[in-house]
Amino acid sequence: MGEKIIELKNLSKSYPMGVAALKALNNVTLSFAAGEFAGLIGPSGSGKTTLLNIIGSLDLPTSGSAKVLGQKIEKLSPKQAAALRNFAIGFIFQTFNLLPVYTVYENIEFPLLLQPQLKPARRQAMVRQALEWVGLADRAGSRPKQLSGGQCQRVAIARAIVKNPRLVLADEPTANLDAQNSASIMEIMKKLNKELNTTFIFSTHDEKVIKHLRRKIRLADGRVASDESIPRCRC
Ligand code: ADP
Ligand code: MG
């Protein structure tokens, strides 16, 4: 396993609830190495999305520290946090979150437009490569409403990986997919993990995702209840 790219120390996140506070995360300490294929597993409300959002610098902890790709999340300015997300982190959501008026190609190209130093020819090559990775080269001109849910999620995967991020955060990526589409997107992500060494962290309670994970971190009421890894096969 590679270098540590995420170090979370005593992370807590509370939301005010009348006179009390709801602890969405309660003293979470975890680290992740480059190249992991790991999942946060737990029932609805256990804190999975809150934790992914903090790792992705979309949200801040109430206390504790989070170091992601060498940067302390709680110390970043909004501009620095945006740069970290734009260059180094890909996001995949349960509801795909594609832009409906744009084509598949334009949806995938979108994050690259946030990197103004990229020349158009390079950008085009990167989008083409991402389309190949997810097997949608022939649908570049389609719009999301012309695609199935499985195809939409493949576009979302392409959009997440097009900038070749070191880290991809996938929040319940199969929640809206049937068994066959879930299996197919997991195979794509496993391949990206193996061939590009992209680190994947999922949140899920779907057995179809869980069986593919090399590390399973169970959350319960905002705490880490267990953390098991399967050693990498050396055969
Ligand atoms: P999961 O993704 O495992 O379903 P979440 O991280 O979304 O869990 O939520 C953890 C807990 O925090 C839940 O009790 C949820 O209701 C609460 N929570 C999440 N976001 C907010 C928010 N913005 N305001 C208040 N409570 C929230
Ligand atoms: Mg969630």
Side-chain angles (χ1 to χ4, degrees):
M1 222 12 95
E3 55 169 320
K4 269 188 197 175
I5 58 166
I6 301 172
E7 290 180 80
L8 312 175
K9 284 204 189 113
N10 306 114
L11 275 192
S12 292
K13 175 81 183 179
S14 304
Y15 292 106
M17 286 272 285
V19 283
L22 184 144
K23 279 214 155 184
L25 291 177
N26 193 349
N27 213 25
V28 169
T29 296
L30 278 173
S31 62
F32 295 87
E36 286 209 46
F37 201 71
L40 309 172
I41 303 168
S44 182
S46 56
K48 306 182 295 297
T49 297
T50 305
L51 188 50
L52 281 187
N53 286 349
I54 292 172
I55 295 172
S57 77
L58 292 167
D59 200 356
L60 286 170
T62 311
S63 61
S65 68
K67 198 169 178 191
V68 177
L69 299 168
Q71 314 238 35
K72 284 194 171 167
I73 295 295
E74 62 280 7
K75 300 247 155 76
L76 298 178
S77 68
K79 205 170 165 188
Q80 289 169 322
L84 176 67
R85 292 192 299 268
N86 293 345
F87 286 89
I89 306 178
F91 295 87
I92 299 170
F93 303 96
Q94 168 177 346
T95 47
F96 322 138
N97 293 11
L98 302 179
L99 296 164
V101 296
Y102 290 130
T103 62
V104 165
Y105 185 98
E106 290 163 341
N107 267 281
I108 298 170
E109 186 185 38
F110 190 78
L112 300 182
L113 301 174
L114 304 172
Q115 299 187 17
Q117 84 290 358
L118 281 176
K119 301 246 171 5
R122 173 86 186 113
R123 215 164 58 217
Q124 189 182 39
M126 290 167 87
V127 177
R128 292 275 161 217
Q129 169 73 67
L131 280 162
E132 293 289 337
W133 272 109
V134 300
L136 286 176
D138 57 340
R139 301 307 300 268
S142 301
R143 288 182 207 277
K145 69 170 185 295
Q146 299 168 302
L147 304 179
S148 69
Q151 287 169 325
C152 284
Q153 197 57 308
R154 278 150 62 195
V155 177
I157 294 171
R159 179 184 57 185
I161 56 106
V162 68
K163 58 195 174 192
N164 201 7
R166 296 192 61 202
L167 172 64
V168 172
L169 303 174
D171 196 357
E172 306 217 24
T174 60
N176 289 316
L177 300 181
D178 60 26
Q180 198 186 339
N181 279 306
S182 300
S184 126
I185 69 145
M186 288 312 294
E187 286 310 321
I188 293 168
M189 291 191 279
K190 262 162 79 171
K191 197 165 161 212
L192 288 161
N193 170 254
K194 198 166 165 205
E195 297 190 13
L196 303 180
N197 203 39
T198 311
T199 307
F200 279 82
I201 305 178
F202 297 87
S203 94
T204 191
H205 47 226
D206 181 353
E207 281 304 324
K208 299 189 293 298
V209 175
I210 295 171
K211 69 178 184 195
H212 293 281
L213 299 174
R214 305 207 59 80
R215 179 175 175 197
K216 300 170 192 181
I217 298 157
R218 289 186 195 272
L219 293 185
D221 294 328
R223 290 176 184 273
V224 176
S226 66
D227 181 356
E228 308 160 36
S229 296
I230 304 169
R232 233 174 232 270
C233 173
R234 303 208 177 271
C235 41

